[in-house]
Amino acid sequence: MLKIKEAIVVEGRYDKNTLSQLVDTVILETAGFGIFKDKEKLALLRKIAEKRGLIVLTDSDGAGFVIRNHLKGALPRDQVKHAYVPDLFGKEKRKRKPGKEGKLGVEGMRPEVLENALRRAGATILSEEGEKAGPPPLTKADLFACGLTGGQGSKERRQAFLKKLDLPQHLTPNAMLPVLSALYDRESLLEEMKNQ
């Protein structure tokens, strides 16, 4: 598994599932064309791009390029890298028939194709399988220990904490973990959460 510094932006959850088997980094979804109306998500993408950089990885069809071009205009160019998958024709296993253009999306790509696309885009590889990685990521147990989940008033404390960090307050605990890990150092964040 590749540990990558930059966060990766994909179109949907199936792309995210495929990529999460290959890379260890934060993977965010645009919800397809939903990104056009989601100002909070765009603000979050900008914040993560500023902190650790972003790699945009969309399908090679027309819709993927519309989303990619929207992100090109909405995000700082010097903080965003673009990874491209090749035009391969076929259909994903979960679908009954191929997409409109007949091309495979990110979810249908073999792992080596995705890895090559990320390396060509200039992804910063921090470690590869077998190498010692950095500090462990935040866990749900950390959130629980800090009173942000699973207890009386935890939802309110979590929302106040997200507001304090200038993050979307509707983030669920599961969605919150990778975002916090992408933006903050684990030790200082744990200290900050305990003081919440």
Side-chain angles (χ1 to χ4, degrees):
M1 182 161 288
L2 297 175
K3 185 167 181 62
I4 295 177
K5 176 187 173 211
E6 297 88 357
I8 302 175
V9 183
V10 295
E11 292 181 50
R13 70 175 178 223
Y14 295 106
D15 299 333
K16 181 177 179 177
N17 290 343
T18 298
L19 209 52
S20 66
Q21 296 170 34
L22 173 70
V23 297
D24 178 11
T25 191
V26 176
I27 303 170
L28 303 161
E29 304 167 39
T30 66
F33 291 138
I35 194 69
F36 295 124
K37 295 180 181 176
D38 196 340
K39 290 182 182 1
E40 267 192 344
K41 185 165 279 181
L42 266 178
L44 178 61
L45 291 177
R46 282 188 199 101
K47 193 170 197 166
I48 290 177
E50 182 182 330
K51 180 72 175 181
R52 64 188 289 168
L54 279 177
I55 298 174
V56 176
L57 180 61
T58 60
D59 296 348
S60 61
D61 61 4
F65 273 86
V66 168
I67 294 167
R68 180 185 298 277
N69 288 331
H70 176 71
L71 293 174
K72 274 184 182 178
L75 300 171
R77 290 182 187 267
D78 61 328
Q79 298 166 352
V80 179
K81 297 174 182 177
H82 291 272
Y84 296 89
V85 293
D87 283 342
L88 297 177
F89 292 89
K91 73 169 194 63
E92 283 83 8
K93 290 179 184 176
R94 70 176 177 89
K95 296 181 179 177
R96 290 180 186 222
K97 57 183 182 175
K100 188 176 178 182
E101 295 179 30
K103 297 177 184 178
L104 288 174
V106 170
E107 73 171 283
M109 295 291 154
R110 293 184 326 274
E112 57 271 15
V113 172
L114 293 172
E115 181 179 340
N116 287 337
L118 292 170
R119 287 183 186 274
R120 279 193 313 269
T124 308
I125 310 292
L126 299 175
S127 67
E128 301 198 27
E129 193 168 14
E131 292 183 28
K132 189 173 188 270
L138 285 172
T139 64
K140 286 180 88 170
D142 294 327
L143 297 180
F144 180 79
C146 295
L148 298 176
T149 61
Q152 190 87 16
S154 60
K155 180 179 179 183
E156 293 77 17
R157 278 194 293 282
R158 186 172 61 251
Q159 288 177 335
F161 184 64
L162 289 168
K163 184 174 183 172
K164 178 180 177 182
L165 297 178
D166 198 26
L167 293 171
Q169 294 175 43
H170 71 275
L171 286 176
T172 64
N174 285 340
M176 198 173 142
L177 286 172
V179 170
L180 292 176
S181 294
L183 293 171
Y184 302 98
D185 166 74
R186 183 178 197 273
E187 295 306 318
S188 59
L189 184 62
L190 283 173
E191 190 62 38
E192 185 73 31
M193 285 194 304
K194 287 177 183 168
N195 295 331
Q196 179 60 21

